[in-house]
């Protein structure tokens, strides 16, 4: 029995010594990736590139960041994630001007939404405001009230702005306003 205890004691210190030896010989990026899963749940969230704002969180003011963001709570003010994806979850309530690379809406947004790539309003999603994005998707069952500007990134801002007032000022009785080609004829 005494020999079994001696063999168990050296094995216990040897195992922890092997772990630091491995982390010292690995690259810093691999070391960080290897140690994060072994740490607690608090550090596991750090390895993700998305940040969550929970249901009970209320943010008032300006929200800027350089990570993807998911909002399940309430945000009022201005949201700027110009190089990242913003997701408004099913419980999310946003009353703000939104600027992001892509916006996915499952909750409610009141305010203008500007995206450089895409705006996607999913089932039960709601937007009350104007959308400016080269790609817009609105699912069946979604709510949208406002205007959509699907101008491409390289186009001049004044080109479509000239067409909108012209189409609005044309009377409904004129033949050019009854067809779908009224804005294209310009």
């Amino acid at each position: 029995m005494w020999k079994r205890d001696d063999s168990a004691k050296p094995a216990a210190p040897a195992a922890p010594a092997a772990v630091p030896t491995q982390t010292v010989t690995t690259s810093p990026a691999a070391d960080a990736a290897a140690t994060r899963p072994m740490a607690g749940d608090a550090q596991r969230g750090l390895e993700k590139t998305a940040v969550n704002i929970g249901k009970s969180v209320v943010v008032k003011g300006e929200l800027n960041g350089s990570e993807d963001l998911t909002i399940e709570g309430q945000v009022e003010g201005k949201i700027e994630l110009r190089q990242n994806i913003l997701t408004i979850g099913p419980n999310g309530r946003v009353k703000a001007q939104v600027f992001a690379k892509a916006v996915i809406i499952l909750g409610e947004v009141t305010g203008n939404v500007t995206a450089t790539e895409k705006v996607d309003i999913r089932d039960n999603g709601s937007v009350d405001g104007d959308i400016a994005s080269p790609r817009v998707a609105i699912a069946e069952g979604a709510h949208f009230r406002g205007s959509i500007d699907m101008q491409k990134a390289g186009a001049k801002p004044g080109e479509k702005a000239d067409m909108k007032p012209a189409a609005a000022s044309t009377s409904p009785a004129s033949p050019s306003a009854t067809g779908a080609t009224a804005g294209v004829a310009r």
Side-chain angles (χ1 to χ4, degrees):
M1 286 244 180
W2 191 53
K3 288 182 181 180
R4 187 186 295 172
D5 290 339
D6 285 344
S7 65
K9 287 181 183 177
V19 174
T21 305
Q22 289 176 344
T23 57
V24 170
T25 58
T26 58
S27 69
D31 186 17
T35 57
R36 282 188 183 151
M38 289 182 214
D41 288 333
Q43 285 195 352
R44 284 187 188 160
L46 294 176
E47 69 184 356
K48 295 180 183 178
T49 58
V51 176
N52 294 323
I53 294 179
K55 292 181 191 179
S56 64
V57 177
V58 177
V59 177
K60 293 184 180 183
E62 207 170 287
L63 184 59
N64 296 316
S66 59
E67 297 179 75
D68 293 347
L69 176 65
T70 300
I71 298 174
E72 288 290 339
Q74 296 181 9
V75 176
E76 294 183 24
K78 183 178 181 182
I79 301 172
E80 280 195 59
L81 303 169
R82 297 200 183 261
Q83 300 300 316
N84 300 92
I85 299 170
L86 172 65
T87 303
I88 288 80
N91 298 312
R93 306 289 175 254
V94 174
K95 292 182 182 179
Q97 297 288 330
V98 177
F99 302 93
K101 180 169 123 179
V103 182
I104 301 168
I105 302 164
L106 296 109
E108 295 179 12
V109 176
T110 303
N112 296 338
V113 178
T114 303
T116 55
E117 286 187 7
K118 183 178 182 177
V119 173
D120 189 359
I121 307 172
R122 305 262 174 97
D123 268 354
N124 300 322
S126 172
V127 175
D128 284 325
D130 298 340
I131 296 174
S133 177
R135 294 171 46 209
V136 177
I138 302 175
E140 188 174 341
H143 167 80
F144 172 70
R145 180 183 305 152
S147 67
I148 298 176
D149 183 1
M150 294 179 66
Q151 185 171 2
K152 294 187 179 181
K156 294 178 184 174
E159 289 177 5
K160 288 192 177 185
D162 292 339
M163 291 171 47
K164 287 180 185 176
S169 65
T170 310
S171 67
S174 71
S176 64
T178 58
T181 59
V184 178
R186 267 183 144 284

